Coordinates of all heavy atoms in Angstrom, one line a residue:
M1 N 16.5 22.8 -49.1 CA 17.2 21.6 -48.6 C 16.9 21.5 -47.2 O 17.0 22.4 -46.4 CB 18.7 21.8 -48.8 CG 19.5 20.5 -48.3 SD 21.3 20.6 -48.6 CE 21.4 20.1 -50.3
A2 N 16.5 20.3 -46.7 CA 16.3 20.0 -45.3 C 17.5 20.0 -44.4 O 18.5 19.5 -44.9 CB 15.4 18.7 -45.2
Q3 N 17.4 20.5 -43.2 CA 18.6 20.6 -42.3 C 18.5 19.3 -41.5 O 17.4 18.9 -41.0 CB 18.5 21.7 -41.5 CG 19.6 21.8 -40.5 CD 19.5 23.0 -39.6 OE1 18.6 23.8 -39.6 NE2 20.6 23.3 -38.8
T4 N 19.6 18.6 -41.4 CA 19.7 17.4 -40.5 C 20.4 17.8 -39.2 O 21.3 18.6 -39.2 CB 20.4 16.2 -41.3 OG1 21.7 16.6 -41.6 CG2 19.6 15.8 -42.5
L5 N 20.1 17.0 -38.2 CA 20.8 17.2 -36.9 C 21.5 15.9 -36.6 O 21.0 14.7 -36.9 CB 19.7 17.4 -35.8 CG 18.8 18.6 -35.9 CD1 17.8 18.5 -34.8 CD2 19.6 19.9 -35.8
D6 N 22.8 16.2 -36.1 CA 23.5 15.0 -35.7 C 23.0 14.5 -34.4 O 22.3 15.2 -33.7 CB 25.0 15.2 -35.8 CG 25.5 16.3 -34.8 OD1 24.9 16.4 -33.8 OD2 26.6 16.8 -35.1
A7 N 23.6 13.4 -33.9 CA 23.1 12.8 -32.6 C 23.3 13.7 -31.4 O 22.6 13.8 -30.5 CB 23.9 11.5 -32.4
T8 N 24.4 14.5 -31.4 CA 24.7 15.4 -30.3 C 23.7 16.5 -30.3 O 23.3 16.8 -29.2 CB 26.1 16.0 -30.6 OG1 27.1 15.0 -30.7 CG2 26.5 16.9 -29.4
D9 N 23.3 17.1 -31.4 CA 22.2 18.1 -31.3 C 20.9 17.6 -30.8 O 20.3 18.2 -30.0 CB 22.0 18.6 -32.7 CG 23.2 19.5 -33.3 OD1 23.9 20.0 -32.5 OD2 23.3 19.5 -34.5
V10 N 20.6 16.4 -31.2 CA 19.3 15.8 -30.7 C 19.4 15.5 -29.2 O 18.6 15.8 -28.4 CB 19.1 14.4 -31.5 CG1 17.8 13.7 -30.8 CG2 18.8 14.8 -32.9
D11 N 20.5 14.9 -28.8 CA 20.7 14.6 -27.3 C 20.7 15.9 -26.5 O 20.1 16.0 -25.4 CB 22.0 13.9 -27.1 CG 22.1 12.5 -27.5 OD1 21.1 11.9 -27.8 OD2 23.2 12.0 -27.7
T12 N 21.3 17.0 -26.9 CA 21.3 18.3 -26.3 C 19.9 18.8 -26.2 O 19.5 19.3 -25.1 CB 22.2 19.4 -26.9 OG1 23.5 18.7 -27.0 CG2 22.1 20.6 -26.3
Q13 N 19.1 18.8 -27.2 CA 17.8 19.3 -27.3 C 16.9 18.4 -26.3 O 16.2 19.0 -25.6 CB 17.2 19.3 -28.7 CG 17.7 20.3 -29.6 CD 17.3 20.2 -31.0 OE1 16.5 19.2 -31.4 NE2 17.8 21.0 -32.0
L14 N 17.1 17.2 -26.3 CA 16.2 16.4 -25.4 C 16.6 16.6 -23.9 O 15.7 16.8 -23.2 CB 16.5 14.8 -25.7 CG 15.7 13.9 -24.8 CD1 14.2 14.1 -25.0 CD2 16.1 12.4 -25.2
D15 N 17.9 16.8 -23.6 CA 18.4 17.1 -22.3 C 17.7 18.5 -21.8 O 17.3 18.6 -20.8 CB 19.8 17.1 -22.2 CG 20.5 15.7 -22.3 OD1 19.7 14.8 -22.0 OD2 21.6 15.7 -22.5
E16 N 17.7 19.4 -22.7 CA 17.2 20.7 -22.4 C 15.8 20.7 -22.0 O 15.3 21.3 -21.2 CB 17.5 21.7 -23.6 CG 19.0 22.2 -23.6 CD 19.3 23.0 -24.8 OE1 18.4 23.2 -25.6 OE2 20.4 23.4 -25.0
R17 N 15.0 19.9 -23.0 CA 13.6 19.9 -22.7 C 13.3 19.1 -21.4 O 12.4 19.5 -20.6 CB 12.9 19.1 -23.9 CG 12.6 19.9 -25.0 CD 11.8 19.3 -26.0 NE 12.7 18.5 -26.8 CZ 12.4 17.2 -27.3 NH1 11.3 16.7 -27.2 NH2 13.3 16.6 -28.0
L18 N 14.0 18.0 -21.0 CA 13.9 17.3 -19.8 C 14.1 18.2 -18.6 O 13.4 18.2 -17.7 CB 14.7 16.1 -19.7 CG 14.2 15.0 -20.7 CD1 15.2 13.8 -20.6 CD2 12.8 14.5 -20.4
Q19 N 15.2 19.0 -18.7 CA 15.6 19.9 -17.5 C 14.6 20.9 -17.4 O 14.1 21.3 -16.2 CB 16.9 20.5 -17.8 CG 18.0 19.5 -17.6 CD 19.4 20.0 -18.0 OE1 19.6 21.1 -18.4 NE2 20.5 19.2 -17.8
L20 N 14.1 21.5 -18.5 CA 13.1 22.6 -18.3 C 11.8 22.2 -18.0 O 10.9 22.8 -17.3 CB 13.0 23.3 -19.7 CG 14.2 24.1 -20.1 CD1 14.1 24.7 -21.6 CD2 14.5 25.2 -19.2
G21 N 11.4 20.9 -18.3 CA 10.1 20.4 -18.0 C 9.9 19.7 -16.8 O 8.8 19.0 -16.5
S22 N 10.9 19.5 -15.9 CA 10.8 18.7 -14.7 C 11.1 19.4 -13.4 O 11.6 18.7 -12.5 CB 11.8 17.5 -14.9 OG 11.5 16.8 -16.0
P23 N 10.8 20.6 -13.2 CA 11.2 21.2 -11.9 C 10.1 21.2 -10.9 O 9.9 22.2 -10.2 CB 11.7 22.7 -12.3 CG 10.7 23.0 -13.5 CD 10.5 21.7 -14.2
W24 N 9.2 20.2 -10.9 CA 8.0 20.2 -10.0 C 8.1 18.9 -9.2 O 8.5 17.8 -9.7 CB 6.7 20.3 -10.7 CG 6.6 21.6 -11.4 CD1 7.1 22.0 -12.7 CD2 6.0 22.8 -10.9 NE1 6.8 23.4 -12.9 CE2 6.1 23.8 -11.8 CE3 5.3 23.0 -9.8 CZ2 5.6 25.1 -11.6 CZ3 4.8 24.3 -9.5 CH2 5.0 25.4 -10.5
I25 N 7.6 18.9 -7.9 CA 7.4 17.7 -7.2 C 6.1 17.7 -6.6 O 5.4 18.7 -6.4 CB 8.5 17.7 -6.0 CG1 8.3 19.1 -5.1 CG2 9.8 17.5 -6.5 CD1 9.2 19.0 -3.8
T26 N 5.6 16.5 -6.3 CA 4.3 16.3 -5.5 C 4.8 15.9 -4.1 O 5.5 15.1 -3.9 CB 3.5 15.1 -6.1 OG1 3.1 15.5 -7.4 CG2 2.4 14.8 -5.4
L27 N 4.1 16.7 -3.1 CA 4.4 16.3 -1.8 C 3.1 15.8 -1.2 O 2.0 16.3 -1.4 CB 4.8 17.7 -1.0 CG 6.1 18.4 -1.4 CD1 6.0 19.7 -0.9 CD2 7.2 17.5 -0.7
V28 N 3.3 14.8 -0.4 CA 2.1 14.3 0.5 C 2.4 14.7 1.9 O 3.6 14.5 2.5 CB 1.9 12.8 0.4 CG1 0.9 12.3 1.4 CG2 1.5 12.5 -1.1
W29 N 1.4 15.4 2.6 CA 1.6 15.9 3.9 C 0.9 15.0 5.0 O -0.1 14.3 4.7 CB 1.0 17.3 4.0 CG 1.7 18.2 3.1 CD1 1.4 18.4 1.7 CD2 2.7 19.1 3.4 NE1 2.3 19.3 1.2 CE2 3.1 19.8 2.2 CE3 3.3 19.5 4.5 CZ2 4.0 20.8 2.1 CZ3 4.3 20.4 4.6 CH2 4.7 21.1 3.4
N30 N 1.4 15.1 6.2 CA 0.8 14.4 7.3 C -0.5 14.9 7.6 O -0.7 16.1 7.5 CB 1.8 14.4 8.5 CG 1.4 13.4 9.5 OD1 0.8 12.3 9.3 ND2 1.7 13.7 10.8
D31 N -1.4 14.1 8.1 CA -2.8 14.5 8.5 C -3.2 13.7 9.6 O -2.7 12.6 9.9 CB -3.8 14.5 7.3 CG -4.1 13.2 6.8 OD1 -4.6 12.3 7.6 OD2 -3.9 12.9 5.6
P32 N -4.2 14.2 10.5 CA -4.6 13.4 11.6 C -5.7 12.4 11.3 O -6.2 11.8 12.2 CB -5.1 14.5 12.6 CG -5.6 15.6 11.6 CD -4.7 15.6 10.4
V33 N -6.1 12.3 10.1 CA -7.2 11.4 9.6 C -6.8 10.1 9.2 O -7.5 9.1 9.6 CB -8.0 12.2 8.6 CG1 -9.3 11.3 8.2 CG2 -8.5 13.5 9.1
N34 N -5.9 9.9 8.2 CA -5.6 8.7 7.5 C -4.6 7.9 8.3 O -3.7 8.3 8.9 CB -5.0 8.9 6.1 CG -6.1 9.6 5.2 OD1 -7.1 8.9 4.9 ND2 -5.9 10.9 4.8
L35 N -4.9 6.5 8.3 CA -4.1 5.6 8.9 C -2.7 5.4 8.0 O -2.8 5.6 6.8 CB -4.7 4.2 9.0 CG -6.0 4.1 9.9 CD1 -6.6 2.7 9.8 CD2 -5.7 4.4 11.3
M36 N -1.7 5.1 8.8 CA -0.4 4.9 8.1 C -0.5 3.8 7.1 O 0.0 3.9 6.0 CB 0.7 4.6 9.1 CG 1.0 5.9 10.0 SD 2.5 5.7 11.0 CE 2.1 4.4 12.0
S37 N -1.3 2.7 7.5 CA -1.3 1.6 6.6 C -2.1 2.0 5.3 O -1.8 1.5 4.1 CB -2.1 0.4 7.2 OG -3.4 0.8 7.7
Y38 N -3.0 2.8 5.4 CA -3.8 3.4 4.2 C -2.9 4.2 3.3 O -2.9 4.1 2.1 CB -5.0 4.2 4.6 CG -5.8 4.8 3.4 CD1 -6.4 3.9 2.6 CD2 -5.7 6.1 3.2 CE1 -7.2 4.4 1.4 CE2 -6.4 6.6 2.1 CZ -7.1 5.7 1.2 OH -7.7 6.3 0.1
V39 N -2.1 5.1 3.9 CA -1.1 5.9 3.1 C -0.2 5.1 2.4 O 0.0 5.2 1.2 CB -0.5 6.9 4.0 CG1 0.7 7.7 3.3 CG2 -1.4 7.9 4.7
A40 N 0.4 4.1 3.0 CA 1.4 3.1 2.3 C 0.6 2.4 1.2 O 1.1 2.2 0.2 CB 1.9 2.1 3.4
Y41 N -0.7 2.0 1.5 CA -1.5 1.3 0.4 C -1.7 2.2 -0.8 O -1.5 1.8 -2.0 CB -2.9 0.9 1.0 CG -3.9 0.6 -0.2 CD1 -3.9 -0.6 -0.8 CD2 -4.8 1.6 -0.5 CE1 -4.7 -0.8 -1.8 CE2 -5.8 1.4 -1.5 CZ -5.7 0.1 -2.2 OH -6.6 -0.1 -3.2
V42 N -1.9 3.5 -0.6 CA -2.1 4.4 -1.7 C -0.9 4.5 -2.5 O -0.8 4.6 -3.7 CB -2.6 5.8 -1.2 CG1 -2.6 6.9 -2.3 CG2 -4.0 5.7 -0.6
F43 N 0.3 4.7 -1.8 CA 1.6 4.8 -2.4 C 1.9 3.6 -3.3 O 2.4 3.7 -4.3 CB 2.8 5.1 -1.4 CG 2.7 6.4 -0.7 CD1 3.5 6.7 0.3 CD2 1.8 7.4 -1.1 CE1 3.4 7.9 0.9 CE2 1.8 8.6 -0.5 CZ 2.6 8.9 0.5
R44 N 1.5 2.4 -2.8 CA 1.8 1.2 -3.5 C 0.9 1.1 -4.8 O 1.3 0.8 -5.9 CB 1.6 -0.1 -2.7 CG 2.7 -0.3 -1.7 CD 2.6 -1.8 -1.1 NE 1.3 -2.1 -0.7 CZ 0.7 -1.9 0.5 NH1 1.4 -1.2 1.4 NH2 -0.5 -2.4 0.7
S45 N -0.4 1.3 -4.5 CA -1.4 1.1 -5.6 C -1.3 2.2 -6.6 O -1.4 2.0 -7.8 CB -2.8 1.1 -5.0 OG -3.2 2.2 -4.4
Y46 N -1.1 3.5 -6.3 CA -1.1 4.6 -7.3 C 0.2 4.8 -7.9 O 0.3 4.8 -9.2 CB -1.6 5.9 -6.6 CG -1.6 7.0 -7.6 CD1 -2.7 7.1 -8.6 CD2 -0.6 7.9 -7.7 CE1 -2.7 8.1 -9.5 CE2 -0.6 8.9 -8.7 CZ -1.6 9.0 -9.5 OH -1.6 9.9 -10.5
F47 N 1.3 4.9 -7.0 CA 2.6 5.1 -7.7 C 3.4 3.9 -8.1 O 4.4 3.9 -8.7 CB 3.4 5.9 -6.7 CG 2.9 7.3 -6.5 CD1 2.3 7.7 -5.3 CD2 3.1 8.3 -7.4 CE1 1.8 9.0 -5.1 CE2 2.7 9.6 -7.3 CZ 1.9 9.9 -6.2
G48 N 2.9 2.7 -7.6 CA 3.6 1.4 -8.0 C 4.8 1.2 -7.2 O 5.7 0.4 -7.5
F49 N 5.0 1.8 -6.0 CA 6.0 1.7 -5.1 C 6.0 0.2 -4.5 O 5.0 -0.3 -4.3 CB 6.1 2.6 -4.0 CG 6.3 4.1 -4.3 CD1 5.7 5.0 -3.5 CD2 7.1 4.4 -5.5 CE1 5.9 6.4 -3.9 CE2 7.3 5.8 -5.6 CZ 6.7 6.8 -5.0
S50 N 7.2 -0.3 -4.3 CA 7.4 -1.6 -3.6 C 6.8 -1.4 -2.2 O 6.7 -0.2 -1.7 CB 8.8 -2.1 -3.5 OG 9.5 -1.2 -2.7
K51 N 6.5 -2.5 -1.4 CA 6.0 -2.4 0.0 C 7.1 -1.6 0.8 O 6.7 -0.7 1.6 CB 5.7 -3.7 0.5 CG 5.2 -3.6 1.9 CD 4.8 -4.9 2.5 CE 4.3 -5.0 3.9 NZ 4.3 -3.8 4.7
A52 N 8.3 -1.9 0.6 CA 9.4 -1.3 1.5 C 9.5 0.2 1.1 O 9.6 1.0 1.9 CB 10.8 -2.0 1.2
E53 N 9.4 0.6 -0.1 CA 9.4 2.0 -0.6 C 8.3 2.7 -0.1 O 8.3 3.8 0.3 CB 9.7 2.1 -2.1 CG 9.9 3.6 -2.5 CD 11.1 4.2 -2.0 OE1 12.1 3.6 -1.5 OE2 11.1 5.5 -2.0
A54 N 7.1 2.1 -0.2 CA 5.8 2.8 0.2 C 5.9 3.0 1.7 O 5.5 4.1 2.2 CB 4.6 1.9 -0.2
D55 N 6.4 2.0 2.5 CA 6.5 2.2 3.9 C 7.5 3.2 4.3 O 7.3 3.9 5.3 CB 6.9 0.8 4.6 CG 5.7 -0.3 4.5 OD1 4.6 0.2 4.3 OD2 6.0 -1.5 4.7
R56 N 8.6 3.3 3.6 CA 9.6 4.3 3.8 C 9.1 5.7 3.7 O 9.2 6.5 4.6 CB 10.8 4.2 3.0 CG 12.0 5.1 3.3 CD 13.1 4.9 2.2 NE 12.9 5.4 1.0 CZ 12.9 6.8 0.7 NH1 13.1 7.7 1.7 NH2 12.6 7.2 -0.5
R57 N 8.3 5.9 2.6 CA 7.8 7.2 2.4 C 6.6 7.6 3.3 O 6.5 8.7 3.7 CB 7.4 7.4 0.9 CG 8.6 7.4 0.0 CD 8.3 7.7 -1.5 NE 9.3 7.3 -2.4 CZ 9.8 8.0 -3.3 NH1 9.1 9.1 -3.6 NH2 10.7 7.6 -4.2
M58 N 5.9 6.5 3.7 CA 4.7 6.7 4.6 C 5.4 7.1 5.9 O 4.9 8.0 6.6 CB 3.9 5.5 4.7 CG 2.9 5.5 5.8 SD 3.5 5.1 7.5 CE 4.0 3.4 7.2
M59 N 6.5 6.6 6.3 CA 7.1 6.9 7.6 C 7.7 8.3 7.5 O 7.7 9.0 8.6 CB 8.2 5.8 8.0 CG 7.6 4.5 8.6 SD 6.5 4.8 10.0 CE 7.6 5.5 11.2
Q60 N 8.2 8.6 6.4 CA 8.7 10.0 6.2 C 7.5 11.0 6.4 O 7.7 12.0 7.0 CB 9.4 10.2 4.8 CG 10.1 11.4 4.7 CD 10.8 11.6 3.3 OE1 10.5 10.8 2.4 NE2 11.7 12.6 3.2
V61 N 6.4 10.7 5.8 CA 5.2 11.6 6.0 C 4.9 11.7 7.5 O 4.7 12.7 8.1 CB 4.0 11.1 5.2 CG1 2.8 11.7 5.6 CG2 4.3 11.2 3.7
H62 N 4.9 10.5 8.2 CA 4.5 10.5 9.6 C 5.5 11.2 10.5 O 5.2 11.9 11.4 CB 4.3 9.0 10.0 CG 4.0 8.8 11.4 ND1 2.7 9.2 11.8 CD2 4.7 8.3 12.4 CE1 2.6 8.9 13.2 NE2 3.8 8.4 13.6
T63 N 6.8 11.0 10.3 CA 7.9 11.6 11.2 C 8.4 12.9 10.9 O 8.6 13.7 11.7 CB 9.0 10.6 11.2 OG1 9.5 10.4 10.0 CG2 8.7 9.2 11.8
E64 N 8.3 13.2 9.5 CA 8.8 14.5 9.1 C 7.8 15.5 8.6 O 8.0 16.7 8.3 CB 9.9 14.3 8.0 CG 11.1 13.6 8.4 CD 12.1 13.3 7.2 OE1 12.1 14.1 6.3 OE2 12.8 12.2 7.3
G65 N 6.5 15.0 8.5 CA 5.5 15.8 8.2 C 5.1 15.8 6.7 O 4.0 16.4 6.3
R66 N 6.0 15.4 5.9 CA 5.8 15.3 4.4 C 6.7 14.4 3.8 O 7.8 14.1 4.4 CB 5.8 16.7 3.8 CG 7.2 17.3 3.9 CD 7.4 18.7 3.3 NE 8.7 19.1 3.3 CZ 9.1 20.2 2.7 NH1 8.2 21.0 2.1 NH2 10.4 20.5 2.7
A67 N 6.5 14.1 2.5 CA 7.4 13.4 1.7 C 7.1 13.6 0.2 O 6.0 13.8 -0.2 CB 7.2 11.8 1.9
V68 N 8.3 13.6 -0.5 CA 8.1 13.8 -2.0 C 7.8 12.4 -2.5 O 8.5 11.5 -2.3 CB 9.5 14.3 -2.6 CG1 9.5 14.4 -4.1 CG2 9.8 15.7 -2.1
V69 N 6.7 12.4 -3.3 CA 6.4 11.1 -4.0 C 6.5 11.0 -5.5 O 6.4 9.9 -6.0 CB 4.9 10.7 -3.5 CG1 4.8 10.5 -2.0 CG2 3.9 11.9 -3.8
A70 N 6.7 12.2 -6.1 CA 6.9 12.2 -7.6 C 7.6 13.4 -8.0 O 7.5 14.5 -7.3 CB 5.5 12.0 -8.2
T71 N 8.3 13.4 -9.1 CA 9.0 14.5 -9.7 C 8.7 14.5 -11.2 O 8.7 13.5 -11.7 CB 10.5 14.4 -9.5 OG1 10.8 14.3 -8.1 CG2 11.2 15.7 -10.1
G72 N 8.4 15.7 -11.7 CA 8.2 15.7 -13.2 C 7.7 17.0 -13.6 O 7.9 18.1 -13.0
T73 N 6.9 17.1 -14.7 CA 6.4 18.4 -15.2 C 5.2 18.9 -14.4 O 4.6 18.0 -13.6 CB 5.9 18.2 -16.6 OG1 4.7 17.3 -16.6 CG2 6.9 17.7 -17.6
R74 N 4.9 20.1 -14.5 CA 3.7 20.6 -13.6 C 2.5 19.8 -13.9 O 1.8 19.5 -13.0 CB 3.6 22.1 -14.0 CG 2.6 22.8 -13.2 CD 2.4 24.2 -13.4 NE 1.3 24.7 -12.5 CZ 1.3 25.9 -11.9 NH1 2.2 26.7 -12.2 NH2 0.2 26.3 -11.2
E75 N 2.2 19.6 -15.2 CA 0.9 18.9 -15.5 C 0.9 17.5 -14.8 O -0.2 17.2 -14.3 CB 0.8 18.8 -17.0 CG 0.5 20.2 -17.7 CD 1.9 21.0 -17.9 OE1 3.0 20.5 -17.8 OE2 1.7 22.2 -18.1
E76 N 2.0 16.8 -14.9 CA 2.1 15.5 -14.3 C 1.8 15.6 -12.9 O 1.0 14.9 -12.2 CB 3.4 14.9 -14.5 CG 3.6 14.4 -16.0 CD 5.0 13.9 -16.1 OE1 6.0 14.5 -15.5 OE2 5.2 13.0 -16.9
M77 N 2.4 16.6 -12.2 CA 2.3 16.7 -10.7 C 0.9 17.2 -10.3 O 0.4 16.8 -9.2 CB 3.4 17.8 -10.1 CG 4.8 17.2 -10.4 SD 5.2 15.6 -9.8 CE 5.1 14.7 -11.4
E78 N 0.2 18.0 -11.1 CA -1.2 18.4 -10.8 C -2.1 17.2 -11.0 O -2.9 17.1 -10.1 CB -1.6 19.5 -11.9 CG -1.0 20.8 -11.7 CD -1.3 21.8 -12.8 OE1 -1.8 21.4 -13.9 OE2 -1.1 23.0 -12.7
R79 N -1.8 16.2 -11.8 CA -2.6 15.0 -11.9 C -2.4 14.2 -10.7 O -3.3 13.7 -10.1 CB -2.3 14.2 -13.2 CG -2.9 14.7 -14.4 CD -2.8 13.8 -15.5 NE -1.4 13.5 -16.0 CZ -0.7 14.1 -16.8 NH1 -1.1 15.3 -17.4 NH2 0.6 13.8 -17.1
H80 N -1.2 14.1 -10.2 CA -0.8 13.3 -9.0 C -1.5 14.0 -7.7 O -2.1 13.3 -6.9 CB 0.6 13.2 -8.8 CG 1.4 12.4 -9.9 ND1 0.8 11.2 -10.4 CD2 2.7 12.4 -10.4 CE1 1.8 10.7 -11.2 NE2 2.8 11.5 -11.2
V81 N -1.4 15.2 -7.6 CA -2.0 15.9 -6.5 C -3.6 15.7 -6.5 O -4.1 15.3 -5.5 CB -1.7 17.5 -6.5 CG1 -2.6 18.2 -5.5 CG2 -0.3 17.7 -6.2
E82 N -4.1 15.8 -7.7 CA -5.6 15.6 -7.7 C -5.9 14.0 -7.3 O -6.9 13.8 -6.6 CB -6.1 15.8 -9.2 CG -7.6 15.7 -9.3 CD -8.1 16.1 -10.7 OE1 -7.4 16.8 -11.4 OE2 -9.2 15.6 -11.0
A83 N -5.1 13.1 -7.8 CA -5.3 11.7 -7.5 C -5.2 11.5 -5.9 O -6.0 10.8 -5.4 CB -4.3 10.8 -8.2
M84 N -4.2 12.2 -5.3 CA -4.0 12.1 -3.8 C -5.2 12.6 -3.1 O -5.7 12.0 -2.2 CB -2.7 12.7 -3.4 CG -1.4 12.1 -3.9 SD -1.2 10.4 -3.4 CE -1.8 9.5 -4.9
H85 N -5.7 13.7 -3.7 CA -7.0 14.2 -3.0 C -8.2 13.3 -3.3 O -8.9 13.2 -2.3 CB -7.3 15.7 -3.7 CG -6.4 16.7 -3.3 ND1 -6.4 17.9 -4.0 CD2 -5.4 16.8 -2.5 CE1 -5.4 18.7 -3.5 NE2 -4.7 18.0 -2.7
D86 N -8.3 12.6 -4.4 CA -9.3 11.7 -4.6 C -9.2 10.5 -3.7 O -10.2 9.9 -3.2 CB -9.3 11.1 -6.0 CG -9.7 12.1 -7.0 OD1 -10.3 13.2 -6.7 OD2 -9.5 12.0 -8.2
F87 N -8.0 10.2 -3.2 CA -7.8 9.2 -2.2 C -7.9 9.7 -0.7 O -7.8 8.9 0.3 CB -6.3 8.6 -2.3 CG -6.2 7.5 -3.4 CD1 -5.5 7.8 -4.5 CD2 -6.6 6.3 -3.1 CE1 -5.3 6.9 -5.5 CE2 -6.4 5.3 -4.1 CZ -5.8 5.6 -5.3
G88 N -8.1 11.0 -0.5 CA -8.4 11.5 0.8 C -7.1 12.0 1.4 O -7.1 12.3 2.6
L89 N -6.0 12.0 0.7 CA -4.7 12.5 1.2 C -4.5 14.0 1.0 O -5.0 14.5 0.0 CB -3.6 11.7 0.7 CG -3.6 10.2 0.9 CD1 -2.3 9.6 0.3 CD2 -3.7 9.9 2.4
W90 N -3.8 14.6 1.8 CA -3.4 16.1 1.6 C -2.1 16.1 0.8 O -1.1 15.6 1.3 CB -3.2 16.7 3.0 CG -2.8 18.2 2.9 CD1 -3.1 19.1 1.9 CD2 -2.2 18.9 4.0 NE1 -2.6 20.3 2.3 CE2 -2.0 20.2 3.5 CE3 -1.7 18.6 5.2 CZ2 -1.4 21.2 4.2 CZ3 -1.1 19.5 5.9 CH2 -0.9 20.9 5.5
A91 N -2.2 16.7 -0.4 CA -1.0 16.8 -1.2 C -1.0 18.1 -1.9 O -2.0 18.8 -2.2 CB -1.0 15.7 -2.3
T92 N 0.3 18.5 -2.3 CA 0.4 19.8 -3.0 C 1.6 19.6 -4.0 O 2.4 18.6 -3.9 CB 0.9 20.9 -2.0 OG1 2.1 20.6 -1.3 CG2 -0.2 21.2 -0.9
L93 N 1.7 20.5 -5.0 CA 2.8 20.5 -5.8 C 3.7 21.7 -5.5 O 3.1 22.8 -5.0 CB 2.4 20.4 -7.3 CG 1.8 21.7 -7.9 CD1 2.2 21.9 -9.3 CD2 0.2 21.5 -7.9
Q94 N 4.9 21.6 -5.9 CA 5.9 22.7 -5.6 C 6.9 22.7 -6.7 O 7.4 21.7 -7.1 CB 6.5 22.4 -4.3 CG 7.5 23.5 -3.8 CD 8.1 23.1 -2.4 OE1 7.4 22.7 -1.5 NE2 9.4 23.4 -2.3
R95 N 7.3 23.9 -7.0 CA 8.3 24.0 -8.0 C 9.7 23.9 -7.2 O 9.9 24.5 -6.2 CB 8.3 25.4 -8.7 CG 9.3 25.5 -9.8 CD 9.2 26.8 -10.4 NE 10.2 26.9 -11.5 CZ 10.0 27.1 -12.8 NH1 8.7 27.3 -13.1 NH2 11.0 27.1 -13.8
I96 N 10.6 23.2 -7.8 CA 11.9 23.0 -7.2 C 12.9 23.9 -7.9 O 12.9 24.1 -9.1 CB 12.4 21.6 -7.1 CG1 12.4 20.9 -8.4 CG2 11.5 20.8 -6.2 CD1 13.0 19.5 -8.4
D97 N 13.8 24.5 -7.1 CA 14.9 25.3 -7.7 C 16.0 24.4 -8.2 O 16.5 23.5 -7.4 CB 15.4 26.3 -6.7 CG 14.4 27.3 -6.3 OD1 13.5 27.6 -7.3 OD2 14.2 27.7 -5.2
S98 N 16.5 24.6 -9.4 CA 17.6 23.7 -10.0 C 19.0 24.2 -9.4 O 19.2 25.3 -9.0 CB 17.7 23.8 -11.4 OG 16.4 23.3 -11.9

């Protein structure tokens, strides 16, 4: 006989998978090469940020030295880091502590 799960079991399993699969961030770091307008352009075109959000994160990179631009699984963050490198930006991924 097949075992069925009620909605609570399914919700709990989904929550657990999301929590376990999302402890990574992509950081973009300040560099002396790229113009601020270019960094904001990359954030808009790649991540789909609004102009205001892209400008806010670009200013965070400029003034604080770095900004978190994405959160998710390690594999997703590795793809984002590689994409940022392809755009000529300095980016890394980091595991975050829950």
Side-chain angles (χ1 to χ4, degrees):
M1 177 180 279
Q3 181 182 3
T4 60
L5 298 174
D6 64 24
T8 305
D9 292 335
V10 173
D11 289 342
T12 301
Q13 290 174 356
L14 180 59
D15 289 342
E16 288 172 0
R17 276 188 281 146
L18 290 174
Q19 289 174 358
L20 293 174
S22 302
W24 293 87
I25 57 174
T26 297
L27 293 161
V28 172
W29 298 83
N30 194 28
D31 66 57
V33 177
N34 291 294
L35 297 173
M36 293 188 298
S37 58
Y38 177 69
V39 174
Y41 163 78
V42 171
F43 291 171
R44 284 192 319 272
S45 63
Y46 180 79
F47 292 107
F49 293 147
S50 67
K51 181 175 180 352
E53 183 63 19
D55 289 346
R56 184 185 75 77
R57 292 187 195 220
M58 173 274 297
M59 284 305 298
Q60 188 177 16
V61 169
H62 180 69
T63 59
E64 298 176 27
R66 67 183 185 168
V68 174
V69 293
T71 304
T73 64
R74 180 179 181 145
E75 292 78 16
E76 291 170 322
M77 298 308 100
E78 288 173 346
R79 283 192 299 274
H80 292 326
V81 167
E82 185 175 339
M84 293 300 97
H85 292 171
D86 290 343
F87 280 104
L89 302 182
W90 179 25
T92 59
L93 68 141
Q94 178 180 321
R95 186 180 180 120
I96 56 174
D97 297 321
S98 300

